[in-house]
Amino acid sequence: MLQVIIEESLTNFIFDGIKRKTGMHQETLSRTLARLEHAGIITKTSQGYAVANNAKEHFPIPVGYSSSFIHVPLIQTILPQDVDLECILSGLQRKWFGTLRWFGRSKTESNITLKWLTEDGKVQIEALFSDSSLSIEGKLQNNKDLSKAIKASHQLMEQIIKLYSKQKNAIL
């Protein structure tokens, strides 16, 4: 489970998301999270779990490690100049819609990535917000899930458009 947290560069995640991603039994997962919390690697918050900034430094991904997921770019666009990005981010985080279930978030100096999993956990959809651009990517276990990933990315884009259109200064 720690490897998933580090591989995904998570800064925040929820119990159900990490359970869906790892496939761990909830009792085993609860004990594992308690040990990580006791070790100071994660902290339980009102919004799930926060990952310590130095977690990756203490537990790097082994050399030669590669994820078994196929990475597929699905949507790439430029956001309107008048978009309130904080409003969009807060409207998406911790939300479930369509077949997507909230997984977690990662943040770097230059971007924020929000992550969802499909109900079966076979497809991961990521929305990477950077400056004025948005990239939606899929992580698939196999090519058979491509259609599912495309549909899920469209559901996410629909949510983003709804949030944008509710903004006072939105120009449609």
Side-chain angles (χ1 to χ4, degrees), residues 147-158:
S147 180
K148 187 186 296 187
I150 293 168
K151 289 175 186 176
S153 70
H154 290 183
Q155 290 173 339
L156 174 57
M157 196 66 205
E158 181 181 353

Side-chain angles (χ1 to χ4, degrees), residues 75-80 83-93 97 102 104-116 125-137 153 156-161 163-164 167:
I75 297 174
Q76 190 165 13
T77 188
I78 295 178
L79 298 171
V83 71
D84 181 349
L85 189 55
E86 286 304 316
C87 181
I88 301 290
L89 292 172
S90 66
L92 291 173
Q93 291 182 100
F97 41 86
W102 177 249
R105 156 186 158 143
S106 61
K107 183 177 180 179
T108 66
E109 288 182 23
S110 60
N111 64 55
I112 294 174
T113 304
L114 306 182
K115 303 175 184 216
W116 292 265
I125 299 295
E126 299 183 352
L128 187 138
F129 294 87
S130 178
D131 296 325
S132 62
S133 68
L134 166 64
S135 296
I136 299 177
E137 298 180 355
S153 70
L156 174 57
M157 196 66 205
E158 181 181 353
Q159 293 299 314
I160 293 168
I161 292 167
L163 289 167
Y164 171 67
Q167 293 179 3

Side-chain angles (χ1 to χ4, degrees), residues 43-94:
T43 305
K44 191 170 185 175
T45 70
S46 62
Q47 299 174 359
Y49 293 88
V51 180
N53 292 335
N54 60 356
K56 196 170 187 174
E57 296 167 12
H58 292 297
F59 302 96
I61 296 174
V63 174
Y65 172 81
S66 66
S67 172
S68 60
F69 283 86
I70 302 164
H71 296 257
V72 179
L74 299 168
I75 297 174
Q76 190 165 13
T77 188
I78 295 178
L79 298 171
Q81 290 179 342
D82 61 344
V83 71
D84 181 349
L85 189 55
E86 286 304 316
C87 181
I88 301 290
L89 292 172
S90 66
L92 291 173
Q93 291 182 100
R94 299 176 302 284

